[in-house]
Amino acid sequence: MDLAKPKKIKKPARPTRDEFELEEIALTEAFEEKNELRLTVWKREDPVRGKVVKMDGNTKLIHIENFTETIKVKFMDILYVQRV
């Protein structure tokens, strides 16, 4: 009697970005100038809107502060950045 191996379930792949797109994001500039941004984040329905208050290189998280809370977003999950 042969047992069938369970099939692996594929997770949706995170979109890849090239170097030009990473430079285009320019989060450091927004952090220094205290600009408000709207971020499109992978696997998140609504965009994140607010100001960058911290960029943590150890955890690779960007801390976005809006009116009521601070949202932590993984840098690699940021797909698009727009100034508001």
Side-chain angles (χ1 to χ4, degrees), residues 38-53:
R38 183 178 314 152
L39 306 173
T40 303
V41 181
W42 184 61
K43 283 193 170 182
R44 190 176 178 118
E45 288 184 28
D46 297 326
V48 176
R49 186 172 174 166
K51 295 181 182 181
V52 178
V53 292

Side-chain angles (χ1 to χ4, degrees), residues 7-73:
K7 293 183 179 182
K8 291 184 180 180
I9 299 172
K10 290 188 176 183
K11 296 179 183 177
R14 176 184 292 144
T16 57
R17 298 178 292 178
D18 62 13
E19 286 294 318
F20 179 77
E21 288 174 315
L22 291 175
E23 291 174 5
E24 188 175 50
I25 289 176
L27 288 169
T28 306
E29 182 179 313
F31 173 64
E32 292 170 355
E33 296 178 5
K34 308 286 189 229
N35 293 330
E36 188 171 346
L37 301 173
R38 183 178 314 152
L39 306 173
T40 303
V41 181
W42 184 61
K43 283 193 170 182
R44 190 176 178 118
E45 288 184 28
D46 297 326
V48 176
R49 186 172 174 166
K51 295 181 182 181
V52 178
V53 292
K54 183 177 179 184
M55 297 176 67
D56 192 341
N58 294 329
T59 61
K60 297 184 173 87
L61 291 174
I62 309 297
H63 298 234
I64 308 294
E65 186 177 85
N66 63 15
F67 301 108
T68 58
E69 63 184 330
T70 299
I71 302 166
K72 297 176 184 175
V73 177

